[in-house]
Amino acid sequence: MRIPCPFCGERDAQEFVYRGDAAPQRPTDDSDFHEYVYVRKNPAGQLSEHWYHAQGCRNWIIVTRDTQSHEIFDAVLASEARR
């Protein structure tokens, strides 16, 4: 799979570290922390994911891709996506 890094251009997926779904937000209280850490959905289809470009620019990016076909629709720097 080739991932389009917004900073470095298209690179092989082996340069990246996969973190997971980009949608969950860290809870402010401890009561929901178990759900945040251990209970995750595994949807089929389009999903926004965190990827770290470990062997490149060392930026976190959010990649929107189809989990079934691995087609990539978008990739943006995570620091810019959260603004």
Side-chain angles (χ1 to χ4, degrees):
M1 182 168 65
R2 307 277 299 169
I3 298 176
C5 176
F7 192 79
C8 302
E10 190 173 285
R11 298 288 192 253
D12 191 87
Q14 292 180 340
E15 291 187 13
F16 295 84
V17 176
Y18 175 76
R19 180 180 171 261
D21 188 356
Q25 298 293 316
R26 186 182 180 120
T28 55
D29 60 356
D30 290 339
S31 63
D32 297 328
F33 202 72
H34 178 273
E35 296 287 321
Y36 170 74
V37 174
Y38 298 108
V39 181
R40 296 289 174 103
K41 294 178 182 174
N42 189 17
Q46 192 169 327
L47 183 67
S48 293
E49 305 167 321
H50 277 124
W51 289 79
Y52 178 65
H53 198 177
Q55 296 178 5
C57 62
R58 298 182 184 209
N59 281 308
W60 282 99
I61 63 173
I62 296 179
V63 176
T64 305
R65 73 176 180 101
D66 188 306
T67 59
Q68 294 176 309
S69 67
H70 300 295
E71 178 183 357
I72 295 178
F73 302 104
D74 191 28
V76 296
L77 292 173
S79 60
E80 294 178 4
R82 297 289 180 205
R83 290 182 185 177

